[in-house]
Amino acid sequence: MSRQEKQRLVLGLAFVSPWLVGLAVFQIYPIIASLYFSLCDYSVLETPTFIGLANYADLLGDEVFWQALYNTLFYAAFALPLGLVVSFATALLLNTGVRFMAVYRTIYFLPSLVPAVASALIWLWLLNGKYGVINEGLLHLGIEGPGWLSEPAWTKPSLILMSLWGVGHAVVIYLAGLQDVPKQLYEAAELDGAGWWGKLWHVTIPLMSPVILFNLIMGLIGSLQMFALPYIMMPGGQPARSAYFYAVYLYDNALPYLKMGYASAMAWILFLLTLGLTLLALRLARGRVYYEGG
Amino acid sequence: MPAMRRLRWLWVLVVCAWVVLAAGCAPRERARADGRVEIVYWEKWTGFEGDAMRAVVDAFNRRQDRIWVEFLTVSQVDQKFLLSTAGGNPPDLAGLWSANTSVYADLGAIQPLDQYCAEAGITPEQFIPSMIGEMIHRGHIWALPTAPASLALHYNKALFRQAGLDPERPPRTIEELDAMAERLTRRDERGQIDVAGFLPSDPGWWNFAWGQWFGATLWDGDSQLTITSPENVRAFEWVQSYARKYGAKDLQSFQSGFGNFSSPQNSFLAGKVAMQLQGVWLHNFVDKYQPGLEYGVAPFPYPADRPDLAGHTFVDVDNIVIPTGARHPREAFEFIRFLATPEGAELLANGQGKFSPLRAVTPGFYQQHKHPYLQLFVDLSYGPSTFGQPKLQIWRELSAEMGNAFTKIWLDEQPARAALEEVQARMQPKLERELRAKRRKGQLP
């Protein structure tokens, strides 16, 4: 490296130094610290005391931990595939080229712009067991709707239903992907006698597979971190902890219960779980995802 | 050389950026033009309750020229207080809840006020015993009470009359409460509950405390939780008797139609629930949303075989603390001292529609207060059998566990005893762990 190159390198680093310091102070340090705290008894206000793996051992025997994990995985198991199918189908509909398409696209994207707190408060009323619009509608169909938020068996289905409200982001990503599918492939498929289904199955889905995988992984991470809606709508995961989610229990331990060490251990378990599931998804996708030019 | 000069200018830019960043991180210490010491006060209350405290702050700022209290309304104040204190940058004063007092004291987050109180001539004897009792822990005063509250049974006189009950004769015992509740409960033509006489789940703010109304405790004050004591089991079986008598599902459906507490759809204000356990503050909401409501207040009933519990109540009180690491603790105490005078305390009490935590009141305070039943709440708080929340670090978790057990009992998913046994089994080891930690720190013998 010449003298001038070195000078430029140092200057360049100096220019990005605020970001570098920010990354170190606000990301890397907390991550490492949380790993250490997970091995400590730490109340936030006092100095952490090292207790080895005791927090992890306690978690294994903590029923509420397992309940929260079960709730979260149950939610992810339904919300994730449902979200994938609905957002993909919506994207296909919004890609048909009928008139006013831009208007429809905007309308379908709008709900994802509503802040979580605002939409939680609206859903509280929509899902109200007695006066809610949803049960009112069901009544017209001759169905007596359940107490969506007051019966333990219905809280998770309610949240799964609500998750569809926020598919807008995935739809936009799918739409971008759909624009990239080469027209000539459809023409070739048509010449070969493929119908609507044949083109979807043999052209669109294979070419969209990387986008689907991306949305799958982002959706997985998002649903394992589910927090705002249950935290606001079902305080304490009530009724009967049927809606107590992993991230909510983590938060309750960290601040209200003053057990930051325990919460840090939970955070690391969640990280490992997310990592494991993501790797599994990538592995299962191998050979099934088509990367153009890759 | 132009290239060199450009480089030098770029370096100047980098340095400037860092100076600005560093300046932003510097501790805030504003010098006031009038030379007063500025103290920062974080308070949880918003709305009219916040306005009442702001009025006290304004009065304090007006009546002397040495100190300026900067009043800030802060949501989730207990948690922000915790983080700011841990981070070494706390406010000078914070308005918290009584349940925070012992916990933050044990964790070293707040300063004992004994010395300041002694210098100012403030003694515990000047306060209502149950209120100052919430502030004293391990023999020290950690906070002073600001706005106290006690609970009582509120009942709707019009609904009493419609049910053929004497509106001047509220229930005295639990048994009378149950019988009156039955008469007050009404169903519509579809068989659904239209008015409930009484609901142990409404408003649901003290679901952990039903045992105390039956003479139970949650903790023996030493090494044992007493969640499964006969009194607790009896109380929660009584709770469950309501779910069974009126149908857990019917009650769920009925309750899901209740509006927000602070709205005209409030279950008691809207006449959906005829009798309700509520605090001294309820009158504010009657005044605001349903001024014509004809209601009465009586001590909450006691079990007929426990007449010793007559006139008992749950007490809760807002407090004010000085965090560890506050920059101007002495000046901060000056404001606390003002709140501990009849003038300051009553300004707050009148604004918040509550009473004063002080024994001494200015002549006519009770007579001129807008709450028609204020005296009852004051009398209850002086009573011999008041109870509050256990002074334990695990309390938040314990109350969440009790709330969860309550739901299972109320939904009739689990017998009361089994639900309480689960809480006891889960929380007893946590209590023991807390006590061990306190012994290690020398906070317990």
Side-chain angles (χ1 to χ4, degrees):
Chain A
M1 225 188 286
S2 76
R3 202 182 112 85
Q4 201 171 3
E5 271 174 340
K6 247 186 223 160
Q7 246 178 1
R8 279 171 188 278
L9 177 70
V10 172
L11 185 65
L13 285 175
F15 259 95
V16 293
S17 61
W19 180 83
L20 283 178
V21 170
L23 178 79
V25 172
F26 297 117
Q27 306 266 337
I28 297 172
Y29 167 73
I31 290 171
I32 295 169
S34 80
L35 185 60
Y36 172 66
F37 292 152
S38 79
L39 304 172
C40 293
D41 185 7
Y42 180 38
S43 67
V44 185
L45 285 162
E46 296 169 305
T47 32
T49 348
F50 187 80
I51 51 168
L53 291 171
N55 283 328
Y56 292 91
D58 284 354
L59 276 171
L60 293 182
D62 180 350
E63 299 157 42
V64 181
F65 166 78
W66 291 109
Q67 165 104 50
L69 186 62
Y70 166 78
N71 288 341
T72 308
L73 291 177
F74 181 99
Y75 169 81
F78 287 91
L80 194 57
L82 191 66
L84 276 182
V85 171
V86 170
S87 55
F88 191 67
T90 312
L92 286 175
L93 285 174
L94 292 176
N95 200 41
T96 48
V98 295
R99 260 148 60 92
F100 307 122
M101 199 37 92
V103 177
Y104 298 134
R105 285 178 182 172
T106 311
I107 290 172
Y108 276 86
F109 186 67
L110 271 179
S112 4
L113 296 176
V114 179
V117 178
S119 71
L121 293 176
I122 292 166
W123 279 106
L124 275 177
W125 280 111
L126 293 177
L127 290 168
N128 185 297
K130 203 169 164 81
Y131 301 121
V133 178
I134 290 175
N135 277 0
E136 192 67 30
L138 287 175
L139 207 59
H140 284 296
L141 301 173
I143 304 167
E144 186 148 350
W148 294 95
L149 305 172
S150 57
E151 289 176 38
W154 283 99
T155 49
K156 286 190 282 288
S158 301
L159 286 163
I160 292 166
L161 181 74
M162 281 183 269
S163 71
L164 296 180
W165 180 247
V167 293
H169 284 288
V171 170
V172 169
I173 296 170
Y174 281 130
L175 274 174
L178 286 169
Q179 316 284 312
D180 267 358
V181 180
K183 290 272 183 304
Q184 59 269 32
L185 287 181
Y186 287 121
E187 285 162 12
E190 265 168 44
L191 287 177
D192 287 341
W196 178 84
W197 177 254
K199 282 192 284 183
L200 176 69
W201 192 251
H202 295 291
V203 179
T204 314
I205 291 183
L207 283 167
M208 290 290 284
S209 54
V211 183
I212 296 173
L213 179 65
F214 173 80
N215 273 335
L216 173 80
I217 290 172
M218 297 315 282
L220 176 74
I221 295 171
S223 42
L224 291 179
Q225 292 181 343
M226 180 77 166
F227 180 80
L229 287 181
Y231 180 73
I232 297 162
M233 297 179 66
M234 296 125 179
Q238 295 300 347
R241 291 215 174 104
S242 60
Y244 207 28
F245 279 67
Y246 195 96
V248 179
Y249 187 46
L250 192 159
Y251 171 83
D252 278 345
N253 274 306
L255 292 173
Y257 301 167
L258 300 164
K259 298 198 296 196
M260 190 58 91
Y262 201 64
S264 299
M266 281 189 75
W268 276 90
I269 291 176
L270 182 63
F271 168 68
L272 293 178
L273 183 72
T274 313
L275 183 69
L277 287 174
T278 307
L279 290 177
L280 183 72
L282 288 172
R283 196 182 168 83
L284 289 177
R286 201 183 294 162
R288 290 185 179 81
V289 173
Y290 171 75
Y291 293 101
E292 248 179 311
Chain B
M1 215 166 23
M4 277 304 281
R5 195 171 302 155
R6 213 169 47 229
L7 266 182
R8 198 170 303 144
W9 273 111
L10 286 170
W11 272 111
V12 170
L13 264 178
V14 169
V15 170
C16 285
W18 270 108
V19 168
V20 169
L21 262 180
C25 297
R28 202 187 78 115
E29 186 68 58
R30 264 205 321 242
R32 290 183 54 86
D34 56 11
R36 293 187 186 206
V37 177
E38 182 177 291
I39 61 172
V40 177
Y41 171 25
W42 288 3
E43 176 53 57
K44 60 191 164 297
W45 286 114
T46 57
F48 74 90
E49 284 122 336
D51 293 342
M53 187 52 101
R54 189 180 293 279
V56 178
V57 169
D58 290 343
F60 176 77
N61 284 340
R62 265 199 312 272
R63 69 207 298 280
Q64 45 76 45
D65 58 3
R66 211 162 53 77
I67 300 161
W68 181 267
V69 177
E70 185 69 24
F71 179 78
L72 295 171
T73 289
V74 174
S75 65
Q76 291 191 314
V77 69
D78 50 342
Q79 289 170 27
K80 284 174 190 159
F81 169 85
L82 174 81
L83 294 175
S84 67
T85 308
N89 194 17
D92 297 293
L93 284 169
L96 306 174
W97 289 274
S98 57
N100 300 127
T101 316
S102 70
V103 175
Y104 288 163
D106 287 339
L107 294 173
I110 52 180
Q111 307 186 14
L113 304 180
D114 308 272
Q115 185 65 34
Y116 296 123
C117 284
E119 285 168 22
I122 296 173
T123 63
E125 289 70 36
Q126 293 163 0
F127 295 87
I128 299 176
S130 60
M131 298 304 165
I132 191 73
E134 295 286 311
M135 308 293 125
I136 295 177
H137 180 55
R138 289 192 279 113
H140 297 284
I141 306 172
W142 297 93
L144 286 186
T146 54
S150 54
L151 307 185
L153 185 76
H154 292 64
Y155 65 98
N156 185 318
K157 290 188 176 177
L159 291 176
F160 261 57
R161 230 174 266 123
Q162 287 163 25
L165 295 168
D166 177 0
E168 302 311 322
R169 173 63 173 82
R172 287 179 197 143
T173 61
I174 294 281
E175 289 73 7
E176 285 179 10
L177 174 80
D178 296 344
M180 289 186 182
E182 247 175 81
R183 286 184 61 178
L184 287 158
T185 301
R186 291 203 298 238
R187 290 181 186 262
D188 63 14
E189 64 284 355
R190 281 163 60 205
Q192 295 191 329
I193 299 172
D194 196 26
V195 174
F198 176 77
L199 293 177
S201 59
D202 184 56
W205 297 340
W206 307 279
N207 286 345
F208 55 84
W210 285 114
Q212 277 98 317
W213 299 104
F214 284 73
T217 56
L218 294 170
W219 173 42
D220 69 357
D222 186 28
S223 61
Q224 282 292 319
L225 293 178
T226 51
I227 312 294
T228 49
S229 70
E231 292 88 353
N232 268 320
V233 173
R234 179 184 181 188
F236 284 91
E237 280 176 348
W238 168 78
V239 166
Q240 200 156 40
S241 75
Y242 272 73
R244 291 186 176 158
K245 195 189 296 176
Y246 300 102
K249 240 189 145 72
D250 285 5
L251 290 171
Q252 285 304 306
S253 155
F254 174 60
Q255 272 194 276
S256 63
F258 291 177
N260 288 336
F261 172 74
S262 179
S263 80
Q265 286 80 40
N266 171 317
S267 55
F268 183 73
L269 302 188
K272 285 296 185 189
V273 173
M275 298 184 282
Q276 191 183 51
L277 178 64
Q278 265 295 355
V280 60
W281 53 79
L282 188 71
H283 183 74
N284 294 320
F285 298 88
V286 173
D287 226 14
K288 184 165 176 192
Y289 296 117
Q290 206 69 267
L293 184 74
E294 220 193 317
Y295 78 102
V297 178
F300 192 78
Y302 52 90
D305 56 1
R306 289 294 303 271
D308 56 308
L309 295 174
H312 56 172
T313 193
F314 175 86
V315 293
D316 201 350
V317 56
D318 298 334
N319 70 11
I320 187 161
V321 300
I322 302 181
T324 306
R327 289 199 188 84
H328 306 292
R330 198 156 280 282
E331 287 79 4
F333 189 78
E334 285 301 309
F335 179 68
I336 297 186
R337 187 180 175 176
F338 177 57
L339 266 171
T341 60
E343 186 194 349
E346 285 165 25
L347 192 55
L348 181 69
N350 279 320
Q352 292 198 348
K354 296 174 182 165
F355 49 99
S356 163
L358 292 164
R359 280 171 181 274
V361 292
T362 50
F365 167 69
Y366 292 130
Q367 292 73 33
Q368 284 153 21
H369 197 285
K370 64 184 172 190
H371 196 316
Y373 301 106
L374 191 74
Q375 191 67 52
L376 176 82
F377 290 96
V378 179
D379 293 346
L380 284 173
S381 71
Y382 273 103
S385 47
T386 57
F387 52 90
Q389 299 160 74
K391 290 173 179 171
L392 288 172
Q393 204 172 311
I394 57 165
W395 170 238
R396 284 289 290 269
E397 198 173 353
L398 176 58
S399 71
E401 287 296 325
M402 289 300 290
N404 186 49
F406 178 91
T407 315
K408 287 195 272 187
I409 291 165
W410 185 241
L411 293 171
D412 203 7
E413 287 198 339
Q414 207 177 17
R417 180 184 293 276
L420 295 177
E421 276 166 0
E422 275 182 20
V423 178
Q424 174 81 25
R426 186 170 156 75
M427 294 310 295
Q428 177 65 30
K430 299 190 184 204
L431 171 70
E432 285 163 16
R433 181 177 295 187
E434 172 173 342
L435 296 176
R436 276 198 302 276
K438 283 183 174 169
R439 271 188 214 106
R440 239 192 348 261
K441 288 192 284 183
Q443 291 174 346
L444 279 177

